[in-house]
Amino acid sequence: MTGRLYGVGLGPGDPELVTVKAARLIAAADVVAFHAAQHGRSVARAVAAPYLREGQVEELLVYPVTTGTTDHPGGYQGAIDEFYEAAAARLAAHLDAGRDVVVLAEGDPFFYGSYMHMHKRLAHRYPTEVVPGVTSVSGAAAAVGRPLVERDEVLTVLPGTLPAEELAEWLATTDSAAVLKLGRTFDNVREAFDAAGVLDRALYVERASTDRQRTLPLADVDPATVPYFSLALLPSPLTGPAPGPEQHDAAAPRTGEVVVVGLGPGRRSWTTPEAAEALAAADDLVGYGPYLDRVPANPRQTRHPSDNRVEAERAAHALDLARSGRRVAVVSSGDPGVFAMAAAVLEVAERPEYAGVPVRVLPGLTAAQAVAARVGAPLGHDFAVVSLSDVRKPWDVVVDRLRHASAADLVLALYNPRSKARPHQLAEAREVLLESRGPGTVVVVGRDVGGPEESIRVTTLGALDPETVDMRCCVVVGSSQTRVSRTGAVYSPRTHPGVTR
């Protein structure tokens, strides 16, 4: 017997909008397949994550091209067709082996969904079931609080890839419309709304139902800020305007602000009273999910967790909330100004649309300080803090900085030392440091300091095993003067050799 193929709709983005049936099938599947662009991050998998279980086979289907160019002899369409055939063959191998396969689809599988290309190639060969999902159009209408159609009105769904003239014709003759596939087509779409004479009642919705949702009049949108996961709505004139804040709250509008808060590296007692006060006063908490989990729950507050790799989007969401009058705390681990959210918020706050939104940064205890304190005072003299991640800077820049800092005989605190995506870099960094440091140089490896899995290990640069280090570690590499005392304390003397006092 072959396996069964399921095309499962996940809704517009909020994991709670996944249907009961979809959640059950995802959890029960032998194989879960999902699409992604070449960066490998799948929106569909992120939405389905709460329903996945250990032991499932995951098939990541990476598009060879999305909006770029290709040297495939068949051009863009040839590359895409070849990809769909190869992806279908991968899924067919599981189905032939008797394994049930769930293909995840944002929104609804048959509504501009990637799943349909698997369906066309496999549904006639295997038992197949399609589970509908909430579409982005429904999610967007809910986000702006506007019914799309009523009575005998007509709703028209249009792709933003159509020529502006054709879009304008449709928009001028329909009662209500939703235009999808924005992103790079936004200027073309806005031109069509203007030409149809309906720009004044058009609305824009970005990432509907998620913690990064943004809504505003289409005419006010900066084209440079528009992602692919957005759409333009033309609500029916019969539905009336969306309810404004004045209809719900007669109080004078508040001035919002963003406060970027550092929780410290671990235990609650390492959060400063100033940071705790800002967290308690906030209306909204924005941050990486595991960091938000460290903040005590308060039913008055709204939490907006997100993935760790979306700093700019998270910052923009916080600033949008503050612009609407909300008091927002952006939560970081450690100190927000050290490889964390403070710089991201301040960078996004420079955009013209956020002029006048106040931003404050509150300090926190850093991971380097916490690790150093556990063993003594290895940061007692001059030191440098370097991230080994090459996500935001080239690896050759990291190596160059390590080489210069090491040659200057500075103590080094190494953040983001070794991840699954770049397991080799700590070993390379160690070899760079050994160019100017002796193998007996003191090294401290602190993992989850202040947390339930805390461990501290004192070793040497020559004996350091990179395989024992992960992203939850901070590595402190001593200078030529760093030493271990008779009692086992590690410290760097404050007085440099040759200085007499």
Side-chain angles (χ1 to χ4, degrees), residues 63 105-106 108-117:
Y63 284 106
E106 299 97 352
D108 180 272
F110 283 165
F111 190 78
Y112 293 114
S114 298
Y115 164 76
M116 67 180 67
H117 300 287

Side-chain angles (χ1 to χ4, degrees), residues 46-390:
V47 176
Y51 310 107
L52 299 173
R53 59 174 173 79
E54 290 187 9
Q56 289 177 304
V57 176
E58 295 189 8
E59 285 285 0
L60 172 61
L61 310 176
V62 179
Y63 284 106
V65 62
T66 49
T67 58
T69 58
T70 177
D71 56 3
H72 191 280
Y76 176 90
Q77 195 58 52
I80 289 296
D81 288 342
E82 184 178 284
F83 161 72
Y84 286 141
E85 291 296 334
R90 288 166 58 182
L91 302 188
H94 288 296
L95 294 165
D96 288 337
R99 292 185 281 269
D100 289 344
V101 177
V102 161
V103 181
L104 304 177
E106 299 97 352
D108 180 272
F110 283 165
F111 190 78
Y112 293 114
S114 298
Y115 164 76
M116 67 180 67
H117 300 287
M118 299 297 97
H119 187 88
K120 289 187 288 187
R121 289 165 172 80
L122 298 172
H124 63 286
R125 298 165 51 191
Y126 304 97
T128 301
E129 183 176 353
V130 176
V131 180
V134 178
T135 69
S136 58
V137 176
S138 300
V144 298
R146 295 289 298 275
L148 289 169
V149 283
E150 60 182 277
R151 298 200 295 271
D152 297 325
E153 291 182 314
V154 174
L155 168 65
T156 303
V157 178
L158 301 162
T161 50
L162 291 176
E165 297 80 9
E166 186 175 350
L167 274 175
E169 291 179 11
W170 283 104
L171 292 169
T173 56
T174 190
D175 300 307
S176 179
V179 182
L180 287 72
K181 301 179 182 292
L182 296 190
R184 298 196 306 171
T185 71
F186 181 79
D187 287 327
N188 188 66
V189 170
R190 184 161 62 180
E191 177 186 340
F193 274 86
D194 194 22
V198 293
L199 182 60
D200 59 332
R201 61 185 178 94
L203 301 174
Y204 168 85
V205 183
E206 178 178 310
R207 297 185 172 95
S209 82
T210 73
D211 58 333
R212 292 180 287 157
Q213 175 179 294
R214 186 164 70 117
T215 65
L216 63 161
L218 188 68
D220 296 343
V221 177
D222 178 2
T225 68
V226 177
Y228 180 80
F229 288 101
S230 58
L231 57 81
L233 282 182
L234 180 66
S236 161
L238 298 180
T239 64
E246 69 281 357
Q247 295 173 250
H248 302 292
D249 187 357
R254 293 186 308 178
T255 300
E257 71 164 348
V258 173
V259 183
V260 193
V261 175
L263 299 177
R267 62 187 61 181
R268 186 175 177 184
S269 60
W270 286 354
T271 300
T272 69
E274 182 184 34
E277 181 181 354
L279 290 168
D283 301 312
D284 296 83
L285 304 179
V286 174
Y288 177 42
Y291 298 159
L292 289 185
D293 291 342
R294 291 171 50 192
V295 181
N298 185 330
R300 174 184 59 80
Q301 297 174 324
T302 302
R303 294 177 176 235
H304 307 272
S306 55
D307 184 81
N308 202 28
R309 295 165 292 185
V310 290
E311 290 184 354
E313 292 89 340
R314 186 185 304 145
H317 182 49
L319 291 160
D320 284 330
L321 290 168
R323 190 169 55 175
S324 70
R326 308 284 289 180
R327 294 169 296 190
V328 184
V330 176
V331 178
S332 287
S333 180
D335 182 283
V338 179
F339 303 126
M341 281 302 298
V345 172
L346 291 171
E347 184 176 2
V348 176
E350 288 196 70
R351 297 176 185 172
E353 63 263 37
Y354 300 124
V357 177
V359 177
R360 292 189 292 135
V361 179
L362 304 184
L365 180 67
T366 68
Q369 291 170 311
V371 170
R374 279 291 191 256
V375 296
L379 305 182
H381 209 306
D382 297 342
F383 67 94
V385 180
V386 178
S387 170
L388 296 191
S389 171
D390 60 356

Side-chain angles (χ1 to χ4, degrees), residues 441-463:
T441 302
V442 179
V443 172
V444 181
V445 180
R447 186 179 189 276
D448 192 33
V449 175
E453 300 179 16
E454 175 179 318
S455 66
I456 294 287
R457 182 161 47 91
V458 179
T459 183
T460 64
L461 190 58

